[in-house]
Amino acid sequence: MLQSHLKKEPFRKTKQRTVILEELQKVDTHPSADEIYMMVRKRMPRISLGTVYRNLELLSEKGIILKLTFGGNQKRFDGYTEQHYHIRCMQCGKIADAPIDPITTIDEKADKLSGYKIFGHNLEFIGLCPDCA
Amino acid sequence: MLQSHLKKEPFRKTKQRTVILEELQKVDTHPSADEIYMMVRKRMPRISLGTVYRNLELLSEKGIILKLTFGGNQKRFDGYTEQHYHIRCMQCGKIADAPIDPITTIDEKADKLSGYKIFGHNLEFIGLCPDCA
DNA sequence: TTATATGCAAATGATTTGCGTAGTC
DNA sequence: GACTACGCAAATCATTTGCATATAA
C-alpha cells in the first residue's frame, strides 16, 4: 500500500496516545475501539472514550496503525501495519491474520484495467474458526 | 462462495420486497440503504425506511443480493451476486466493480493453512476514481 | 385463517463533536 | 505562550426494534 495519502503533520506525544498505541501493539486480536478503551483504562482509569476514538483515528491516518472496516458493526484496529490479510469468523465475529502471502501483482493489474489510480487492496476471508466449526 | 450458510425458509413476495429488488438490480452503483429508500420511494412513496432495511437484510441472508461491509460508515448493497471484486474511491467513497477475475485457488489454500473452514473471500481495491484523480 | 410483513416511531449502538481546561512543544 | 489534546457530555448517524394493523399464502 502506497503511503502517499497519509497525513504528514507532526503530532504531540501525549500519555494517552502512547498508552493506546502500546496496548494495541501488545495484542494480535484486532480489538474494537471500546475493547481498546477497556484495555487502556486499566492503566489510565480517567481516559475518556472520545480520546480513544480521536487517537485511533489519528494513528490510522498516519499509517501507524490500521483501521479495519470490513464486516461487523464496529471498526477494529490492528497494530501491525505490514500488508497482510484477515479471516473473519462468520459465527463469533473474531478476526485473525490469514497465513497467506500478499498478492503482489494485482494492484498494478487493477490500475491498468480500471481507470482508477490504485493504492492497494484489502482481502478478508470468511469462514468458521476452529472453536465455532 | 459456498451457499450452505444461507437461510432457506421461504418468504412472501410483497410489493415492497419486489420493488426494492427491482430497483437495486437496475443500477450498478452499489447504493446504501437510504439511497435505495430514495429510489424506491419514487414508486412507493409510503414505504418506510425500516421496511427497506428489513428487506435488504432478508434478501442478503438469502443470497439474492450482496451486502458490502467494507469501508465507509454505511453498508452498501449489490444486486449482482456472482463472485467479483470492488474498487473504493478513497476521495469520494464511490464503489465500482473491479475488472479483475476472481482468484480461484486462494480459499482452498487459506482453508488448509489457517485451521478455519473457509467459505469465500472479499477483496476491495483502494484508489482514486478518474473523477477524483 | 394465520403467520409474516408493513408503517410508524421510539430505541439502540457506534462514533463524533462542542466546549472549557490541561498539557505539550 | 500558543496551540493541540483531553475529559465530559451532548449530538449525530446508521441501523434495529416494538407494536398495532395490513396482507400474502
Side-chain angles (χ1 to χ4, degrees):
Chain A
M1 173 86 77
L2 298 182
Q3 306 295 310
S4 50
H5 61 290
L6 302 177
K7 287 207 182 167
K8 290 175 196 67
E9 305 82 52
F11 65 158
R12 295 182 175 172
K13 179 170 177 156
T14 64
K15 290 185 169 196
Q16 289 82 346
R17 191 159 296 160
T18 304
V19 173
I20 288 169
L21 183 57
E22 283 175 3
E23 290 299 314
L24 180 57
Q25 289 177 335
K26 257 186 207 166
V27 300
D28 63 353
T29 53
H30 312 84
S32 62
D34 64 76
E35 285 167 345
I36 295 167
Y37 175 55
M38 307 294 198
M39 293 156 57
V40 169
R41 257 205 308 187
K42 291 180 184 154
R43 291 173 58 187
M44 303 190 89
R46 300 199 49 77
I47 196 173
S48 81
L49 183 56
T51 296
V52 172
Y53 272 102
R54 271 188 280 234
N55 277 297
L56 290 171
E57 185 59 33
L58 222 104
L59 289 166
S60 69
E61 280 174 357
K62 300 261 175 205
I64 298 169
I65 66 174
L66 246 44
K67 194 201 290 191
L68 308 179
T69 51
F70 288 74
N73 338 294
Q74 292 162 267
K75 285 163 187 142
R76 291 173 169 279
F77 298 86
D78 193 333
Y80 177 64
T81 56
E82 296 302 308
Q83 161 87 310
H84 65 289
Y85 301 149
H86 294 102
I87 310 182
R88 173 183 304 272
C89 177
M90 56 205 275
Q91 192 75 56
C92 69
K94 192 164 50 190
I95 298 180
D97 291 330
I100 296 285
D101 291 333
I103 304 162
T104 50
T105 54
I106 200 175
D107 291 345
E108 203 184 338
K109 201 162 148 190
D111 193 295
K112 284 208 180 80
L113 294 173
S114 69
Y116 278 57
K117 169 110 200 74
I118 302 294
F119 287 85
H121 67 269
N122 297 314
L123 192 157
E124 164 183 83
F125 293 97
I126 309 296
L128 287 173
C129 71
D131 295 342
C132 293
Chain B
M1 172 88 79
L2 297 182
Q3 306 294 308
S4 50
H5 60 289
L6 302 178
K7 289 208 180 167
K8 289 175 195 67
E9 306 82 53
F11 65 160
R12 295 180 176 173
K13 180 170 177 155
T14 63
K15 290 186 169 195
Q16 288 83 346
R17 191 159 296 159
T18 305
V19 172
I20 288 168
L21 183 56
E22 283 175 4
E23 290 299 313
L24 180 57
Q25 289 177 335
K26 256 185 207 167
V27 300
D28 63 353
T29 52
H30 312 84
S32 63
D34 64 75
E35 286 168 346
I36 295 167
Y37 175 55
M38 307 294 199
M39 292 154 61
V40 169
R41 259 208 304 192
K42 292 182 184 152
R43 290 173 59 187
M44 302 189 90
R46 299 198 49 75
I47 196 173
S48 80
L49 183 56
T51 296
V52 172
Y53 271 102
R54 272 188 281 237
N55 277 298
L56 291 171
E57 186 58 33
L58 221 103
L59 289 166
S60 68
E61 280 174 356
K62 301 260 176 205
I64 298 168
I65 65 173
L66 246 43
K67 194 201 290 191
L68 308 179
T69 52
F70 285 75
N73 338 293
Q74 292 162 269
K75 285 163 186 139
R76 292 173 169 278
F77 297 87
D78 193 334
Y80 176 65
T81 56
E82 296 301 310
Q83 162 86 310
H84 66 287
Y85 300 150
H86 294 104
I87 310 182
R88 171 183 306 271
C89 178
M90 56 204 274
Q91 190 77 57
C92 69
K94 191 163 52 188
I95 297 181
D97 293 330
I100 296 285
D101 291 333
I103 303 162
T104 50
T105 54
I106 200 173
D107 291 345
E108 203 184 338
K109 201 161 147 191
D111 193 295
K112 284 209 181 81
L113 295 173
S114 69
Y116 278 57
K117 168 110 200 75
I118 302 294
F119 287 85
H121 67 270
N122 297 313
L123 192 157
E124 164 183 83
F125 293 96
I126 309 296
L128 286 173
C129 71
D131 295 342
C132 293

